[in-house]
Amino acid sequence: MAVLLLAEVNGAELSVDQTAKAVTAAQALGEVTVLCASAGCGGAAEAAAKINGVAKVLCADDAAYGNGLAEPIADLIVSLAGDYQHIVAPATTDGKNILPRVAALLDVMVISDITGIVSADTFERPIYAGNAVQTVQSVDAKKVISIRTTGFEAAGEGGSASVESIAAAGNPDLSEWVEDKLQTSDRPELTSAKIVVSGGRGVGSEENFALIEQLADKLQAAVGASRAAVDSGYAPNDWQVGQTGKVVAPDLYIAVGISGAIQHLAGMKDSKVIVAINKDEEAPIFQIADFGLVADLFDAVPALTEAL
């Protein structure tokens, strides 16, 4: 079977981590063709061609795709859909914005956030904040699927797929780009970082969150936050980890002052090693932590930062 994978392209740069993990999943479904759609995406297409398991790369270099607008990209995918049984993308902001439109235009269901592939038409996905796994079978002729990439290892590099330039599809002009407001940071991007240090309500204030950032900087880690911390104004929205935030699965996750509500656990429980620092020894976070320290974070975190 043939699979069309929409690559995660930010501007003209390929998100190799997200795309390579999606390739690993897509290979279980058939021969993988990667679609790069953006303005000036030639470099992204070349990078995608080096991912093991990619058979071919399609490069749609057009200004209409330059800012990630969902409507023109969805129309492009639909124009290519006839050759593919599966249309997949990482379950990122872009993937979750584009694929439902694709599914609607094709008059099929969208299967979101899969973490396992049973067969070509049967998939596993978490529900109830990750407390249960649902097995979904689709009888649609074309399967439109978003992949929760934290459930898959990234495919390696060393491939040599061919790159083919394709023409843009018609732009429906249903939306227009106005501006992007981006925060720049020297820290790793949260969803692809190998180490994440997150703070919760126990941190107490925006000023105290500097303790979390200092520890993260020592570890060259990304900074995360619980919803309680974000709602309290201690941290910006794009740091939120959890059911209504970002899903991460780093090699090391350090939870500081986080009680461990199920909504937060849904966003980080697949981390390889979980460390919890909390003064409440009954905090639910300790039930999933590999290492737990019952201590006041205002003593433990500065001591840990100093030791590092």
Side-chain angles (χ1 to χ4, degrees), residues 27-38:
Q27 285 182 86
L29 298 170
E31 185 177 81
V32 180
T33 297
V34 172
L35 170 64
C36 292
S38 187

Side-chain angles (χ1 to χ4, degrees), residues 124-141:
E124 294 177 343
R125 58 185 300 274
I127 57 172
Y128 302 132
N131 285 292
V133 175
Q134 181 182 60
T135 301
V136 180
Q137 185 175 35
S138 171
V139 296
D140 288 330

Side-chain angles (χ1 to χ4, degrees), residues 13-305:
E13 185 176 343
L14 181 73
S15 175
V16 177
D17 182 71
Q18 294 285 348
T19 304
K21 289 177 177 177
V23 167
T24 297
Q27 285 182 86
L29 298 170
E31 185 177 81
V32 180
T33 297
V34 172
L35 170 64
C36 292
S38 187
C41 63
E46 293 293 339
K50 296 176 183 177
I51 299 174
N52 286 333
V54 175
K56 182 169 68 173
V57 178
L58 303 178
C59 179
D61 185 346
D62 192 273
Y65 309 133
N67 298 292
L69 293 179
E71 291 85 358
I73 295 177
D75 275 15
L76 172 65
I77 293 172
V78 170
S79 73
L80 300 169
D83 297 330
Y84 302 96
Q85 288 76 46
H86 297 83
I87 298 169
V88 304
T92 58
T93 301
D94 286 342
K96 291 180 177 180
N97 193 19
I98 294 167
L99 289 189
R101 289 170 162 80
V102 173
L105 291 168
L106 294 174
D107 195 24
V108 300
M109 68 184 292
V110 61
I111 305 170
S112 59
D113 278 298
I114 70 161
T115 54
I117 297 171
V118 179
S119 67
D121 65 356
T122 307
F123 313 93
E124 294 177 343
R125 58 185 300 274
I127 57 172
Y128 302 132
N131 285 292
V133 175
Q134 181 182 60
T135 301
V136 180
Q137 185 175 35
S138 171
V139 296
D140 288 330
K142 294 188 186 298
K143 317 294 190 289
V144 178
I145 305 162
S146 66
I147 298 165
R148 182 175 288 193
T149 53
T150 55
F152 300 91
E153 294 293 329
E157 293 192 357
S160 56
S162 61
V163 178
E164 176 186 336
S165 295
I166 60 173
N171 189 341
D173 291 321
L174 295 172
S175 61
E176 64 178 17
W177 174 80
V178 177
E179 65 175 331
D180 288 333
K181 292 184 178 180
L182 302 175
Q183 288 188 333
T184 58
S185 173
D186 293 332
R187 299 189 183 106
E189 205 279 320
L190 183 56
T191 54
S192 59
K194 300 297 184 184
I195 304 173
V196 175
V197 181
S198 284
R201 192 198 306 271
V203 176
S205 69
E206 183 178 2
E207 292 71 27
N208 289 342
F209 226 83
L211 293 174
I212 306 300
E213 296 180 62
Q214 290 163 9
L215 176 57
D217 290 341
K218 282 285 187 180
L219 293 167
Q220 297 182 318
V223 178
S226 68
R227 177 168 181 169
V230 170
D231 286 350
S232 298
Y234 304 166
N237 288 334
D238 60 340
W239 289 3
Q240 184 178 326
V241 173
Q243 184 179 13
T244 53
K246 294 178 178 177
V247 178
V248 300
D251 294 337
L252 173 62
Y253 188 89
I254 302 177
V256 180
I258 294 175
S259 63
I262 60 171
Q263 290 85 354
H264 185 76
L265 301 186
M268 46 66 72
K269 64 183 179 62
D270 291 328
S271 304
K272 292 180 176 62
V273 176
I274 299 172
V275 174
I277 302 173
N278 200 300
K279 66 181 180 181
D280 178 11
E281 63 183 23
E282 301 297 327
I285 191 73
F286 288 124
Q287 296 176 14
I288 67 161
D290 298 286
F291 300 93
L293 176 62
V294 179
D296 189 321
L297 69 89
F298 297 106
D299 296 327
V301 173
L304 178 55
T305 303

